[in-house]
Amino acid sequence: MTNHVSSTIIRYVTLLYSKAPNLPLEALLHRKTTILLSFFFPLESLDRNRKPEPMENPIRWTTVWVVASWYGSNIGILLLNKYLLTGFGFKYPVFLTLCHMVACASLSYVAIGLARVVPLQAIKSRSQLGRLAALSVVFCYSVVCGNVSLRYIPVSFNQAIGATTPFFTAVFAYLMIQKREAWATYAALVPVVVGVVIASGAEPSFHLLGFIMCVVATAARAFKSVLQSILLSSDQGENLNSMNLLLYMAPIAVAFLVPATMLMEKDALEFTIDIAKKDLKIVWYLLFNSSLAYFVNLTNFLVTQHTSALTLQVLGNAKGAVAVVVSILIFKNPISFIGMLGYAITIFGVVLYGEVKKRYS
C-alpha cells in the first residue's frame, strides 16, 4: 500500500513539474489538492490540458416521435377510411370528407388561435381570399375523390396510383407555368407510369370507377400544388405555411361540402343517427377519424420542421410501402406478384425522379 501511495505521489509531482518546470514552490504547494484527489480520481481526469472526448450525437427523440406520429396518422386515416366505407357500411364519402373538414377547421382554430402552435398569418386582400377559395375547391375535390376510390379499390392499389403524383405535377407545371425539366427528369417518370399500368393490369380487385376516382384524386392533388405556387405568390408576401393554409381553407371547404352533401348524400346524417342509436361506436369512429384528418396536416408540418428535404422524401416513399403492407395484413385483400412488381417499379421511378430532379435543379 505504501509503495502504491509513494508511486502515485511521484507520478503527480512529475506531472506538475512537467507542466510548469519553473513554477515557484508556493504555487506548486497550492496544487496539493490535486495530489490528494489522485487517490480517488484517475490521472487523466485531472489533466486540465486534456481535451474531452467528443460525445456521440444523442438520439433526437422529438424527431423520432414526430416521424412516428406522421406515419401513424397518415396510415391510420387511410385504414380507418377504408374500414368505415366498406367494412362498417358507411357509404357516404362526401359526408365523411365534411366531417374531416369540420374537425380541421375547429382544431386549426384551437392550435393557432388559442394554443399559438404557429403564428397567425393574416389574409392581406380579398383577392388572396378568392385564391384561397379556389384552392379549397380543388382540395375538397381531391379528398372526396380519394375517399370515393376507397369504397371500390384496396388501400394497396390506392397507394400505388397515388405514387404517380410527381408525374401529374410535372405535367401540370409544364401546361400551366411552362416549367420545363431536363430530359432525364422526364425519362425518370417513365417507370412511375409503367409500374402503375402493370399493377392495374394485374390487380385482382380492380374496379374501373375506383381506379378513375383515385387517378382523378391524384391529379387534383398535383394540380393544387401547382396552382398554389401560382396563386399565393411569395413575391407579394402571400405565402402561408401549411397550418395557416389549412386554417383558412377548411372553413371554405365546409361551406362547399355542406350543400354537396345535402345534394348527393341527403340521407347521410339520418343514417348516421340511426346507426348511432344502435351502436355508439360509429360516433367515436367518426370523431377519431376526423381528428386524424387534422393530425395528418399537423404532423406533416412538424416533420418538415424536424427533418431535411431528402429525409422527408425518403420517409414519404417508405410510408407508402408501409401502408401497403399494413393494409394487406389487416384487410387480407388478394394480391399478385405482378401487381407488387408493378408497385415496386413505380416506387423505384419515384425515387429515381427525386434524385434526377435534385441533380438537375
Side-chain angles (χ1 to χ4, degrees):
M1 177 67 181
T2 304
N3 293 335
H4 170 70
V5 172
S6 301
S7 62
T8 303
I9 294 175
I10 292 171
R11 288 168 59 206
Y12 274 97
V13 170
T14 303
L15 172 66
L16 293 175
Y17 273 111
S18 65
K19 297 296 182 182
N22 300 321
L23 195 68
L25 179 61
E26 293 79 2
L28 178 61
L29 292 175
H30 199 64
R31 298 189 180 184
K32 62 182 180 179
T33 306
T34 302
I35 298 176
L36 292 174
L37 289 175
S38 68
F39 294 108
F40 305 99
F41 300 100
L43 175 68
E44 291 78 4
S45 65
L46 299 172
D47 187 355
R48 294 183 179 179
N49 293 327
R50 176 186 172 90
K51 294 183 179 180
E53 295 182 1
M55 296 180 60
E56 295 182 1
N57 291 331
I59 298 175
R60 298 174 61 186
W61 290 110
T62 302
T63 302
V64 173
W65 179 85
V66 166
V67 172
S69 301
W70 184 50
Y71 266 55
S73 58
N74 275 271
I75 297 173
I77 194 170
L78 267 173
L79 300 179
L80 193 51
N81 281 349
K82 179 65 176 177
Y83 173 70
L84 285 172
L85 294 169
T86 57
F88 202 83
F90 188 83
K91 301 178 180 179
Y92 302 101
V94 179
F95 179 67
L96 182 62
T97 307
L98 173 60
C99 294
H100 290 178
M101 292 301 106
V102 169
C104 287
S106 304
L107 293 175
S108 292
Y109 175 76
V110 172
I112 299 178
L114 301 179
R116 307 291 183 185
V117 174
V118 294
L120 175 65
Q121 295 175 285
I123 296 179
K124 298 183 177 181
S125 64
R126 290 185 179 181
S127 61
Q128 185 184 12
L129 180 61
R131 293 192 286 272
L132 284 172
L135 285 175
S136 299
V137 173
V138 179
F139 177 56
C140 281
Y141 190 64
S142 67
V143 175
V144 169
C145 290
N147 286 337
V148 170
S149 73
L150 287 174
R151 281 192 60 190
Y152 303 103
I153 62 176
V155 173
S156 55
F157 190 35
N158 175 281
Q159 289 296 286
I161 299 171
T164 61
T165 300
F167 167 77
F168 289 104
T169 303
V171 171
F172 285 125
Y174 177 77
L175 294 176
M176 297 170 64
I177 57 178
Q178 302 297 310
K179 182 180 179 181
R180 298 187 179 186
E181 305 285 356
W183 66 269
T185 305
Y186 291 118
L189 291 171
V190 173
V192 174
V193 179
V194 170
V196 169
V197 172
I198 294 174
S200 302
E203 173 58 45
S205 304
F206 181 85
H207 190 284
L208 182 60
L209 178 60
F211 173 76
I212 293 174
M213 287 292 100
C214 193
V215 170
V216 171
T218 304
R221 283 195 298 269
F223 179 75
K224 173 186 168 292
S225 65
V226 177
L227 187 64
Q228 183 175 329
S229 67
I230 299 173
L231 296 183
L232 299 182
S233 171
S234 58
D235 296 336
Q236 300 177 12
E238 294 180 338
N239 265 347
L240 301 174
N241 62 47
S242 59
M243 296 296 292
N244 276 273
L245 192 62
L246 185 66
L247 173 67
Y248 293 117
M249 286 175 53
I252 299 174
V254 171
F256 282 104
L257 285 169
V258 167
T261 301
M262 295 175 64
L263 181 64
M264 301 170 64
E265 300 173 349
K266 57 182 68 177
D267 60 334
L269 184 59
E270 182 181 354
F271 174 85
T272 305
I273 294 174
D274 290 340
I275 292 294
K277 290 178 180 178
K278 302 173 185 177
D279 189 354
L280 200 59
K281 285 192 298 185
I282 183 65
V283 177
W284 297 113
Y285 281 149
L286 287 175
L287 285 174
F288 181 63
N289 180 260
S290 301
S291 299
L292 275 180
Y294 171 74
F295 282 105
V296 166
N297 292 276
L298 174 62
T299 55
N300 184 69
F301 172 78
L302 292 176
V303 82
T304 56
Q305 305 298 310
H306 286 80
T307 62
S308 64
L310 178 60
T311 303
L312 185 62
Q313 179 183 347
V314 174
L315 291 173
N317 294 332
K319 177 170 60 67
V322 172
V324 168
V325 173
V326 173
S327 69
I328 292 173
L329 292 175
I330 292 178
F331 296 109
K332 312 292 184 183
N333 56 282
I335 58 173
S336 66
F337 173 77
I338 299 299
M340 294 308 294
L341 178 63
Y343 179 64
I345 292 173
T346 295
I347 293 298
F348 168 76
V350 171
V351 174
L352 181 63
Y353 170 77
E355 291 297 319
V356 172
K357 186 175 176 63
K358 182 174 62 176
R359 178 173 297 182
Y360 285 94
S361 60

